Amino acid sequence: MQECIDQKVYQAEVDNLPAAFEDGSINGGDRPGGSSLSIRTANPGNHVEIRAAYIGTTIIIRQTAGQLSFSIKVAEDVARAFSAEQDLQLCVGGCPPSQRLSRSERSRRGAITIDTAKQLCKEGLPVEDAYFHSCVFDVLISGDPNFTVAAQAALEDARAFLPDLEKLHLFPSDTGVTLSSGTLLAPLSGLLLLWLCIQ
């Protein structure tokens, strides 16, 4: 939308979740329509929302359990408007070495059994849906019970984004994957870092 706003870059890292774009601004610039892009913080250092009203998009970035996660709500025509060759990127640098989990690091943190992970996740996520299974995966792999908070936040973001709460809970059968007691939800494994809501 070159005729409406200046191009803006937002960069966040663990322990650095700024409440402004890289240039220090909190909106789309002085051009007409610039205020339709805004950034605000609900909890400084832990929760930032970027709203691009002119394209019906909201991005929520959170820091929880020493990790960053984001949720995004975007109109379908906007989501499909960019090809792989175009320069539209949410994550460009990959996972920093300090944030990568190695097998030996996981062993030092103390192993959590799948039953313990399920119990921890069940406390805040009573429905065994994709959020629950992602929570179990994250807690099990990281050994960090604090990942339950991140999964709960992802569910709350979806609750805020979805106009039809009937579609809030994604179940394994919705993805074509059948779960058994010893199986984790592979296609949705890891914290739901990207929650793409197609309207």
Side-chain angles (χ1 to χ4, degrees):
M1 303 295 287
Q2 292 177 347
E3 66 277 3
C4 295
I5 62 165
D6 297 326
Q7 180 174 323
K8 297 293 177 175
V9 175
Y10 180 79
Q11 182 171 331
E13 298 174 351
V14 173
D15 296 325
N16 182 19
L17 196 62
F21 294 105
E22 269 193 343
D23 64 3
S25 66
I26 57 169
N27 63 35
D30 294 330
R31 295 180 185 176
S35 63
S36 67
L37 175 67
S38 64
I39 187 169
R40 68 180 189 88
T41 182
N43 183 358
N46 294 310
H47 180 141
V48 170
E49 292 184 22
I50 300 172
R51 295 180 189 262
Y54 61 98
I55 54 172
T57 299
T58 302
I59 303 171
I60 298 175
I61 304 106
R62 296 179 189 269
Q63 179 173 315
T64 309
Q67 304 290 324
L68 291 180
S69 65
F70 66 91
S71 301
I72 183 169
K73 175 183 175 184
V74 62
E76 183 175 7
D77 58 336
V78 173
R80 297 184 191 282
F82 298 93
S83 67
E85 296 81 35
Q86 291 176 297
D87 188 24
L88 179 67
Q89 302 173 356
L90 290 174
C91 297
V92 294
C95 190
S98 65
Q99 297 296 307
R100 295 180 187 155
L101 294 175
S102 70
R103 292 177 194 261
S104 60
E105 182 181 12
R106 185 179 77 180
S107 299
R108 285 193 303 262
R109 289 184 185 188
I112 291 182
T113 67
I114 192 165
D115 290 333
T116 301
K118 284 181 177 181
Q119 180 183 355
L120 290 167
C121 293
K122 193 76 159 171
E123 291 173 13
L125 300 164
V127 178
E128 292 192 20
D129 61 359
Y131 298 97
F132 173 82
H133 291 288
S134 294
C135 176
V136 171
F137 178 87
D138 287 340
V139 171
L140 187 64
I141 296 301
S142 71
D144 187 351
N146 292 318
F147 272 99
T148 60
V149 177
Q152 291 169 21
L155 179 60
E156 288 305 312
D157 290 345
R159 191 172 277 129
F161 285 165
L162 287 171
D164 181 2
L165 292 181
E166 294 287 324
K167 297 179 181 177
L168 179 63
H169 296 287
L170 299 173
F171 295 98
S173 61
D174 296 340
T175 64
V177 176
T178 305
L179 290 181
S180 66
S181 60
T183 306
L184 292 174
L185 186 60
L188 295 171
S189 63
L191 178 63
L192 291 172
L193 293 179
L194 175 61
W195 176 255
L196 183 59
C197 250
I198 304 294
Q199 291 186 341

